[in-house]
Amino acid sequence: MQSIFETIKTIAFKIDNAIKTEDSGYLDTENSSGEDQLKLDVQSDLIIEKAFADVASVKALVSEEKEGVLHISETGKYTVCYDPLDGSSLIDVNLSVGSIFGIYEGELKGENLVASAYVVYGPRVELMIATREGKPRFYRATGGIFKEIREVALNQKSKLNASGGTQKEWQPQHKAFISSLFASGYQLRYSGGMVPDLHQILLKGGGLFSYPGTADKPKGKLRQLFEVIPFALMYEQAGGEAVNDKGQRLLELVPGHPHDTSPCFFGSKTEISALREAYGLS
Ligand code: AHG
């Protein structure tokens, strides 16, 4: 597993360099979810594919930018599912973006996620790693290496509220829930990039990130294998909770297809308990 984490550190520097130096224009192609691809999406995907090609413990790769599974080695143990450059449409306006990695052993489902990691490319390059043991570990790149800064833990309650999706398409119960949070003093913190938005809540000690099912996207937007399940491990290991709109733990999801999405809610205990109440789940 350590070799996978070390590879992610190398990847982080390469993608950061590409973001800072390469063309941020669009290609004429779409990814498997039907979204327009940036040159940087494809380049980041290639950087990751090349970096993992020689890592003995990696059996296969599944990318948000590609359909299907890329088999690497018969003897490898882990499948790495990744979103190479999440939020890439924000690069044009110079907001933070990220890479997300889920490391699975066996069938690709939540309970088989053994570790996850994400990288934030912002004013600084930062990395978070979570396993099933202990709190997530937070690293910052300085002088070309990642230094561990601290372990991350969520408070019982906070006041940050990152609520995604088009408001016009929210279901009435979601609209009422988010309004009630603001009415009780929560502050809006939403950039439109799930990596920096969830990173902010983790580092500031709590709050709620939601991407609900909406009238136009009943199953939400965020992909289970590459985005939702990896962040669920981060939030649970930090002492928070991560559930879908039925109150099911996101770490129990079983995707039917690598690109399946799910409504998702990540937060401190108090905020998730308020969600359960508002959605009639408790
Ligand atoms: P993309 O990679 O296509 O830019 O999508 C970003 C994702 C995720 O990072 C973010 O939380 C969500 O889309 C934002 O979607 P909305 O604009 O619908 O809130």
Side-chain angles (χ1 to χ4, degrees):
M1 183 64 69
Q2 202 49 41
S3 58
I4 294 179
F5 296 147
E6 291 309 313
T7 304
I8 289 173
K9 290 176 185 172
T10 309
I11 287 167
F13 287 116
K14 288 192 174 156
I15 293 182
D16 182 54
N17 185 57
I19 292 169
K20 294 197 163 71
T21 56
E22 304 286 336
D23 181 349
S24 66
Y26 281 89
L27 294 166
D28 292 331
T29 52
E30 288 182 345
N31 67 14
S32 306
S33 305
E35 296 164 343
D36 293 336
Q37 283 182 308
L38 284 169
K39 290 178 194 166
L40 276 169
D41 286 320
V42 174
Q43 199 177 344
S44 303
D45 187 33
L46 271 177
I47 288 171
I48 294 174
E49 193 181 306
K50 272 193 197 152
F52 279 122
D54 297 325
V55 179
S57 59
V58 176
K59 178 178 158 191
L61 299 174
V62 185
S63 169
E64 193 249 349
E65 293 300 329
K66 287 201 207 81
E67 193 66 46
V69 178
L70 181 69
H71 295 279
I72 300 272
S73 143
E74 284 303 315
T75 52
K77 190 170 173 190
Y78 303 111
T79 298
V80 182
C81 297
Y82 61 93
D83 184 348
L85 203 52
D86 184 76
S88 55
S89 59
L90 299 172
I91 290 176
D92 270 354
V93 290
N94 205 20
L95 286 175
S96 297
V97 294
S99 302
I100 312 167
F101 303 86
I103 299 144
Y104 297 82
E105 185 176 350
E107 201 187 324
L108 298 178
K109 57 183 182 177
E111 70 180 31
N112 288 344
L113 182 79
V114 290
S116 65
Y118 68 81
V119 180
V120 189
Y121 311 101
R124 301 193 280 215
V125 179
E126 297 185 336
L127 166 70
M128 196 79 77
I129 293 177
T131 64
R132 295 270 177 176
E133 302 284 314
K135 304 260 179 273
R137 297 187 310 283
F138 169 49
Y139 301 81
R140 180 171 295 143
T142 30
I145 55 163
F146 278 101
K147 288 189 186 150
E148 184 163 350
I149 307 295
R150 63 179 167 97
E151 289 185 341
V152 167
L154 290 167
N155 300 324
Q156 188 70 23
K157 178 184 185 324
S158 179
K159 56 179 184 177
L160 303 185
N161 183 19
S163 38
T166 307
Q167 296 190 18
K168 183 172 80 66
E169 309 291 346
W170 287 355
Q171 302 293 346
Q173 66 182 0
H174 187 70
K175 216 173 261 187
F177 171 50
I178 296 298
S179 296
S180 74
L181 292 179
F182 286 130
S184 66
Y186 280 79
Q187 297 171 312
L188 176 64
R189 292 289 182 272
Y190 192 74
S191 73
M194 83 176 294
V195 176
D197 288 335
L198 282 160
H199 186 58
Q200 175 168 206
I201 292 171
L202 275 174
L203 289 190
K204 300 233 186 235
L208 179 76
F209 175 98
S210 47
Y211 205 106
T214 54
D216 57 337
K217 291 178 189 150
K219 293 188 174 164
K221 175 181 182 187
L222 302 177
R223 293 99 178 158
Q224 299 181 27
L225 280 183
F226 322 107
E227 297 169 317
V228 170
I229 296 172
F231 267 110
L233 183 67
M234 294 281 168
Y235 270 65
E236 286 205 3
Q237 291 301 128
E241 289 188 60
V243 298
N244 67 9
D245 54 351
K246 308 280 181 291
Q248 181 190 15
R249 288 172 66 225
L250 299 172
L251 280 175
E252 291 173 356
L253 291 176
V254 182
H257 181 275
H259 293 268
D260 277 357
T261 59
S262 172
C264 54
F265 302 86
F266 305 84
S268 320
K269 299 255 184 212
T270 299
E271 284 78 4
I272 297 294
S273 141
L275 166 87
R276 287 183 196 281
E277 197 171 317
Y279 270 60
L281 302 171
S282 48

